[in-house]
Amino acid sequence: MSDPGVMGARLFRRTLRLHRPVATAHGPVGDRQILLLGLSDAAGNTGWGEAAPLAGFTPETVDEAGQAILDWLADDDRIEPPATPTARAAVDGALLHLAARAAALSLHRHLNPDSPSSFAVSALVTGDTPDDLAAAGRTAVDAGHRTLKAKVGALAFDADLARVAALRDAVGPGVAIRLDANGAWDADEAPGHLERLAGYGIEFVEEPVAGVDALAAVRAGSPIPIAADESATSPEGVAAVIAAGAADLLVLKPSAVGGIVVAAELAAIAREAGLGVVITSLLDGAVGVSHAAHLASAIGAIDPAPGLATSALIAEDVGTPPGHAGGNLLLSASDGEVRV
Ligand SMILES: [Mg+2]
């Protein structure tokens, strides 16, 4: 990536505080340390990038990400990007944000002059019981969301089926519902689960089983579209998913796969093979969410709705996330600003 005239840099840690720990297939996610990188040009513009390692989702610790960024800063040529994905996300994000600031453009318009500044996003709805999930679904729909995502696979399948049935009943037929099993289902049982879920009008299921070969086998007979997420976080992983026919869609988390540039490359590979692309955030801070949202706009990955409505889970954010109204994100040039 070309260097847009970087004259100064600062790197510091911030604590990302959540309202409450969020349950994931890899255990609960609570408060954690992230890194913010500010790169400045001679005119005084600053672009921000974020490295937000998350155990179970990214290979590096926050210390390793920090070292990779420092190594990149110390390299006079800066031709090679940082070696770890979250460090690369911070560097590429800061460089692109700085270039956008220097051009007096929002990031998405800098990346693509014709890209939209508003689009609908899906809402993650949680609840272990049918009643709780139904209530969360109604709240999200009342707020304007037309796409909901629920996690499955942590409970016995009959309990999940009852949750999904209650959610569908609560929100009616016009709202899209997508599910994420995070690879939890047994390969022998997944086909039966998908058959039983099909009656509830499911948009797609992410990672019903673990592994590319298992995904391909399940997808071959699935009445519901299948999305790859954990199985496809690198160019090699995406290529393997495509070669095996393992997915209809690719879920991309820019903060985890290496940032804006890498995610755009993976999206292009997926689309070339006919896969849909869903950009999502990963409990990122305001800078990471902003970069993911501006990327989704810039590459037109807005249908299916991106999963970018995570900033409300953050109690103490590091800056300004994109605006949010009526189930839509509203992008602006001030997104991803950091309070220093
Ligand atoms: Mg997923």
Side-chain angles (χ1 to χ4, degrees):
M1 170 176 299
S2 65
D3 185 324
V6 174
M7 298 295 289
R10 53 191 145 164
L11 177 67
F12 48 86
R13 287 186 186 218
R14 284 282 177 84
T15 301
L16 203 55
R17 298 191 193 286
L18 307 189
H19 288 291
R20 65 188 66 81
V22 173
T24 79
H26 305 287
V29 177
D31 297 351
R32 73 187 195 281
Q33 300 274 297
I34 67 171
L35 298 165
L36 293 169
L37 172 66
L39 297 178
S40 301
D41 66 12
N45 298 300
T46 298
W48 291 101
E50 177 180 305
L54 184 54
F57 292 89
T58 61
E60 70 269 47
T61 65
V62 70
D63 287 335
E64 289 162 349
Q67 191 58 52
I69 293 171
L70 290 172
D71 290 345
W72 180 83
L73 287 169
D75 177 0
D76 290 337
D77 298 330
R78 294 180 190 156
I79 293 170
E80 288 295 315
T84 71
T86 65
R88 179 156 188 193
V91 165
D92 284 356
L95 287 171
L96 288 165
H97 189 209
L98 176 59
R101 302 311 299 268
L105 292 169
S106 61
L107 179 54
H108 74 93
R109 287 273 159 76
H110 170 67
L111 296 169
N112 176 356
D114 297 322
S115 56
S117 56
S118 174
F119 52 86
V121 290
S122 81
L124 180 66
V125 291
T126 61
D128 285 343
T129 68
D131 283 352
D132 285 352
L133 191 63
R138 274 190 293 270
T139 298
V141 169
D142 287 347
H145 287 287
R146 305 300 293 167
T147 303
L148 308 178
K149 170 172 166 173
K151 294 282 190 182
V152 293
L155 305 174
F157 180 72
D158 284 345
D160 276 340
L161 192 67
R163 293 168 65 237
V164 173
L167 179 62
R168 174 55 77 202
D169 191 49
V171 301
V175 173
I177 297 175
R178 62 183 65 161
L179 304 175
D180 189 353
N182 291 111
W185 289 338
D186 187 276
D188 294 337
E189 296 176 355
H193 296 349
L194 291 163
E195 289 290 342
R196 293 176 72 192
L197 284 165
Y200 297 102
I202 304 303
E203 182 187 24
F204 59 80
V205 177
E206 289 178 41
E207 299 274 332
V209 293
V212 172
D213 292 342
L215 275 179
V218 166
R219 179 183 172 237
S222 176
I224 300 173
I226 301 299
D229 181 350
E230 293 93 330
S231 293
T233 60
S234 66
E236 298 75 25
V238 173
V241 163
I242 292 167
D248 300 282
L249 302 107
L250 177 65
V251 174
L252 267 177
K253 302 180 177 77
S255 64
V257 301
I260 292 174
V261 175
V262 175
E265 289 171 359
L266 297 182
I269 295 169
R271 285 170 156 178
E272 179 77 16
L275 275 68
V277 171
V278 184
I279 303 286
T280 71
S281 47
L282 179 64
L283 296 173
D284 304 317
V287 178
V289 172
S290 295
H291 290 179
H294 284 247
L295 171 68
S297 167
I299 65 172
I302 58 175
D303 182 16
L308 295 166
T310 53
S311 291
L313 300 167
I314 311 290
E316 204 174 298
D317 211 332
V318 297
T320 313
H324 194 198
N328 293 329
L329 282 193
L330 312 174
L331 306 187
S332 82
S334 60
D335 296 346
E337 282 295 308
V338 169
R339 292 182 286 270
V340 286

